[in-house]
Amino acid sequence: MEQPLPRIVSVDDHVIEPAHLFGTWLPAKYRDRGPRPLTAGIGELAYVGGKYRITTDPDGPPTDWWEYEGELFPYKRIIAAVGFSRDEMTLEGITREQMRRGCWDPAARLADMDLNHVEASLCFPTFPRFCGQTFAEARDKEVALACVRAYNDWMVEEWCGDSGGRLIPLCLIPLWDVELAVAEIRRNAARGVRAVTFSEIPTHLGLPSIHSGHWDPFFAACQETGTVVNMHIGSSSQMPAASPDAPPAVQATLSFNNAMASMADFLFSGVLVRFPRLTLAYSEGQMGWIPYALERADDVWAEHRAWGGVRDLIPEPPSYYYRRQIYCCFFRDRHGVASLDAVGRDNATFETDYPHVDSTWPHTRQAALDHVRDLDDETVYKLMRGNAIRMLGLDLDRDGYRAPDQERPEG
């Protein structure tokens, strides 16, 4: 008999925004200045030095875009890759009609989750980018703020609204104004939102660092409302690479470096000391790197804290704050599972990355079993759903088991 597996709570998936989002949810007075959907041909689409190089071509393959403040933002096949073979997951433009419907339709997403042994899902944005950088970079901040609020209203009321709690709202903040960010945290918390997305390394976006104290009102509001701060790799709009002309595969391999750098920043910032009930979640960073990162941080704290500038700032070893306040997640990381005692059985969660090129859909159940089949039932429960339920304060049942024959993929 095949090992039972509780239904998964995925803490890192993605949504492709429907074309009607801003036309429906943005107040009428802003719509002529807000994001506008269009379908047009695409020319060159390349990824060079960590940045996309994009041109239009009337005779090129049809692609769905957003036009905003004179800039064009295309959807790419690699971010709507489910249903394509690995060799078809390329840097080509794509329309919503060419995507699997679950990319942008909530009812279809729930059906795809059922096919994939997934009960609940937290989804990051695409057009706004992982923490709302698109709006932070906009010139007209009045419209940008309206766009942030419109996205959050759509996320809460339309994307998640009829899902019975299975689609978990993840909201944006106006990154350019910390007081407006605090107001948005409280506005959304009042309607049950418990997750916000934030930049892993704000200084890469030209924003103040977490060491500056600038973000303390935001962290205080998140602590007060029980809102988890979720940081996706790439939410600094910069991916690590050894050489500027390295192929994208180098950056894909090194992507966890952003999460590692961010976690070290937080562990030595004093933020987790000042806000002891603040919760951080690292998304798509995997976890095999965490044991040594914690070992090194604790060693630096023990041996170098005086000249290192943290003697009076960090009273406990950094690993203490990690275990108390930080969650990681994984989906392909056998080394991390083998090091689970050092990673923390109460700190690790699972993801499917639907519908990105890395996604394990529709074989997530088998992918998960390949990682956890030698673990005890209580640990498997924690990794697949228990830790995520606790982290996000979800109202889901204890076991979450479902017969495998009810989940056979179709199509």
Side-chain angles (χ1 to χ4, degrees):
M1 179 181 295
E2 190 168 9
Q3 179 181 352
L5 187 80
R7 293 182 78 196
I8 292 162
V9 176
S10 175
V11 299
D12 173 33
D13 295 314
H14 301 266
V15 60
I16 304 297
E17 296 79 16
H20 69 262
L21 192 159
F22 296 100
T24 299
W25 293 96
L26 195 63
K29 67 178 180 177
Y30 297 121
R31 287 177 194 163
D32 61 341
R33 292 181 285 159
R36 181 175 64 89
L38 71 153
T39 303
I42 196 167
E44 179 188 33
L45 206 170
Y47 191 68
V48 181
K51 302 291 183 182
Y52 286 104
R53 182 183 296 160
I54 302 163
T55 62
T56 57
D57 181 353
D59 299 320
T63 298
D64 278 346
W65 309 66
W66 289 98
E67 188 278 327
Y68 180 47
E69 290 199 336
E71 300 289 334
L72 289 171
F73 303 82
Y75 285 123
K76 301 169 284 291
R77 186 176 290 190
I78 59 168
I79 55 90
V82 290
F84 293 98
S85 71
R86 289 293 168 191
D87 290 332
E88 294 175 313
M89 295 179 183
T90 59
L91 277 177
E92 296 180 42
I94 191 171
T95 66
R96 291 179 185 82
E97 288 304 309
Q98 293 168 326
M99 300 174 191
R100 190 169 178 89
R101 191 177 180 91
C103 292
W104 50 270
D105 178 86
R109 175 64 66 92
L110 292 174
D112 276 358
M113 289 161 58
D114 286 337
L115 295 176
N116 202 34
H117 200 74
V118 173
E119 179 170 10
S121 168
L122 183 78
C123 292
F124 283 83
T126 301
F127 160 65
R129 304 191 348 245
F130 291 147
C131 67
Q133 300 102 301
T134 296
F135 302 127
E137 294 168 2
R139 295 182 297 275
D140 188 330
K141 288 300 193 286
E142 181 182 359
V143 176
L145 177 61
C147 287
V148 167
R149 290 172 172 165
Y151 178 91
N152 291 341
D153 291 344
W154 164 82
M155 165 63 62
V156 174
E157 299 181 36
E158 183 176 325
W159 178 251
C160 301
D162 294 328
S163 70
R166 295 184 62 194
L167 293 172
I168 306 160
L170 175 64
C171 287
L172 305 176
I173 56 168
L175 290 162
W176 60 92
D177 187 312
V178 72
E179 294 304 326
L180 290 175
V182 167
E184 192 62 11
I185 288 293
R186 290 182 174 145
R187 182 176 83 94
N188 292 314
R191 51 182 173 175
V193 175
R194 293 295 179 266
V196 65
T197 180
F198 186 63
S199 176
E200 61 201 353
I201 308 174
T203 55
H204 286 347
L205 304 178
L207 298 168
S209 81
I210 62 167
H211 303 275
S212 67
H214 172 86
W215 297 103
D216 280 9
F218 165 69
F219 295 137
C222 290
Q223 174 175 263
E224 173 193 333
T225 58
T227 300
V228 180
V229 178
N230 296 263
M231 294 172 286
H232 196 283
I233 55 166
S235 57
S236 57
S237 296
Q238 185 172 313
M239 297 294 279
S243 307
D245 55 349
V250 173
Q251 294 171 327
T253 301
L254 296 175
S255 60
F256 71 91
N257 277 258
N258 280 3
M260 183 166 58
S262 177
M263 191 176 81
D265 228 20
F266 269 100
L267 290 177
F268 285 114
S269 68
V271 168
L272 301 180
V273 179
R274 295 194 299 277
F275 304 103
R277 298 187 311 281
L278 179 68
T279 299
L280 308 180
Y282 284 98
S283 306
E284 207 172 321
Q286 309 295 346
M287 61 185 187
W289 53 271
I290 289 176
Y292 178 68
L294 292 177
E295 179 183 338
R296 177 59 181 165
D298 282 356
D299 190 55
V300 167
W301 178 85
E303 305 295 337
H304 307 284
R305 61 179 176 265
W307 77 266
V310 295
R311 181 188 57 197
D312 301 319
L313 185 64
I314 311 297
E316 302 288 343
S319 61
Y320 169 84
Y321 304 101
Y322 164 81
R323 296 193 183 282
R324 186 177 73 179
Q325 293 173 254
I326 298 178
Y327 290 84
C328 58
C329 73
F330 75 102
F331 60 114
R332 288 193 186 92
D333 192 345
R334 288 182 175 83
H335 178 69
V337 173
S339 308
L340 197 55
D341 285 333
V343 170
R345 292 172 188 250
D346 294 320
N347 299 83
T349 59
F350 198 73
E351 63 163 291
T352 80
D353 200 29
Y354 182 110
H356 281 190
V357 65
D358 245 340
S359 179
T360 51
W361 187 92
H363 307 296
T364 296
R365 184 177 185 278
Q366 189 58 50
L369 283 173
D370 288 345
H371 282 73
V372 305
R373 64 173 71 255
D374 296 326
L375 300 177
D376 63 273
D377 290 347
E378 181 62 19
T379 299
V380 172
Y381 166 77
K382 288 181 177 182
L383 299 181
M384 294 297 104
R385 65 188 282 115
N387 290 341
I389 290 171
R390 178 165 49 88
M391 177 179 87
L392 293 163
L394 303 178
D395 184 20
L396 297 177
D397 66 83
R398 157 73 191 183
D399 54 61
Y401 283 92
R402 179 176 175 146
D405 63 0
Q406 297 178 36
E407 301 158 356
R408 190 172 296 113
E410 300 174 359

